[in-house]
Amino acid sequence: MSTPARPARSGGSSAIGWVLTIGLNVVAPILTYNTLTEDHGWSEFSALLLSGAWPVLDTAVMAAWRRKIDEFAMVTLVFLVITAVVSLVGPHTARALLVKDSAVTGLFGLLCLGTLLAPRPLMFYFGRKFATDGTAASTAWWNGMWEYEGFRSTMRTMTLVWGVAYVAEALVRVALAYVLPTRTMVTLSPVMIYSVLGVLGVWTAWFGKRRAAEGARRQAEAEAAAASGAATA
C-alpha cells in the first residue's frame, strides 16, 4: 500500500502556529519567570506556577482556533508543573538547585520512555506539531501515517533516543554538580542543555529524512515489481 502524499503546507497558518507555539510555550514563560524572580522578588515556585498560565492559554487558543487540544502545549504545561514540584523538594542551596534543574530534564527523558508503553509515543505528537502546519488536512495526513509500520517504528525510535539522551544528560549533570565548582556549573549547565537539544534536533531531522527515503525506495521497488509481474502475466 502506497503512503499518501503530504498535503501542501499553508504558509500563513504555519507561521501563525509557530508564533503562537514559540511565543506562548517558550518566550512568555521564560520572560515571566525571569521578571518575577529577578525584578519582583517572587519565589521560584510562585514564578513557575504563574509561568504555566501561558501554555494553558496556548491550549485554549488552539482549541478555539483548530477545535482540538494541542498536545505540545499540554506537555509543556506538564514540564512546568514537574519543574515547580521539583523546586519545592529538598534544600535550596546553589548546588541543590543545579541538581534539581538536572532532575527536570531527566524526568522529561523518563516521560519520553514511559510513552513508549502508550498507544502512541511522545515524538508522534511533537512531530505532528512541527512537521505539519496544523490545518485539518495536514493533521489528518499525519494521523493517517500511523497505520504504516515504518512510520510507527520511526516515531518509537525517535522517542527512545530522546528519552535515553535526556536521562543520560541529567545523570552527567548531576555528577558534575558535585565535582565541579558551582560557578562553573552555572555556566556549563545551560550549555549542556542546549547542546543536547541541538544535537537531538539535527539527528531527528536526519533520521526522519533517511527513513522517509528508505520508505520511498521500498515503495518504488514494490510498484516496479508489481508492474513487472502484471506485464509478464
Side-chain angles (χ1 to χ4, degrees):
M1 181 179 1
S2 61
T3 58
R6 179 197 295 262
R9 293 175 67 92
S10 170
S13 177
S14 180
I16 293 173
W18 272 95
V19 170
L20 286 174
T21 296
I22 301 301
L24 296 179
N25 287 279
V26 179
V27 178
I30 291 175
L31 290 178
T32 300
Y33 175 81
N34 290 338
T35 299
L36 293 177
T37 55
E38 296 176 7
D39 298 338
H40 298 283
W42 283 44
S43 68
E44 289 184 337
F45 175 74
S46 299
L48 284 168
L49 191 62
L50 187 60
S51 298
W54 293 109
V56 173
L57 176 61
D58 182 45
T59 301
V61 169
M62 290 299 178
W65 180 24
R66 292 170 176 165
R67 292 181 171 82
K68 68 181 183 68
I69 298 298
D70 188 273
E71 292 86 355
F72 180 83
M74 293 301 296
V75 170
T76 303
L77 180 60
V78 170
F79 194 69
L80 288 171
V81 171
I82 290 173
T83 304
V85 171
V86 170
S87 69
L88 290 178
V89 179
H92 290 77
T93 64
R95 176 170 281 114
L97 290 176
L98 288 170
V99 172
K100 292 175 185 180
D101 186 45
S102 303
V104 170
T105 56
L107 288 172
F108 175 74
L110 292 176
L111 174 64
C112 287
L113 297 177
T115 62
L116 292 172
L117 302 176
R120 297 182 182 186
L122 188 59
M123 284 302 119
F124 171 84
Y125 299 105
F126 273 41
R128 189 170 68 185
K129 181 69 178 179
F130 293 106
T132 73
D133 56 15
T135 58
S138 63
T139 299
W141 166 77
W142 184 265
N143 291 341
M145 290 294 292
W146 186 253
E147 68 178 281
Y148 299 97
E149 190 281 330
F151 181 82
R152 296 194 299 270
S153 174
T154 298
M155 293 298 105
R156 291 191 175 109
T157 300
M158 287 180 175
T159 304
L160 175 63
V161 170
W162 277 68
V164 171
Y166 268 111
V167 169
E169 181 266 353
L171 292 175
V172 170
R173 279 202 294 140
V174 168
L176 291 178
Y178 287 100
V179 174
L180 299 177
T182 299
R183 182 183 297 274
T184 301
M185 277 305 298
V186 167
T187 301
L188 182 60
S189 186
V191 171
M192 291 181 63
I193 293 174
Y194 290 110
S195 295
V196 170
L197 178 61
V199 170
L200 285 173
V202 171
W203 175 83
T204 300
W206 169 82
F207 186 71
K209 290 180 180 179
R210 194 189 77 171
R211 282 294 183 92
E214 290 175 353
R217 177 179 53 79
R218 287 194 297 268
Q219 179 178 325
E221 291 173 351
E223 291 175 351
S228 177
T232 57

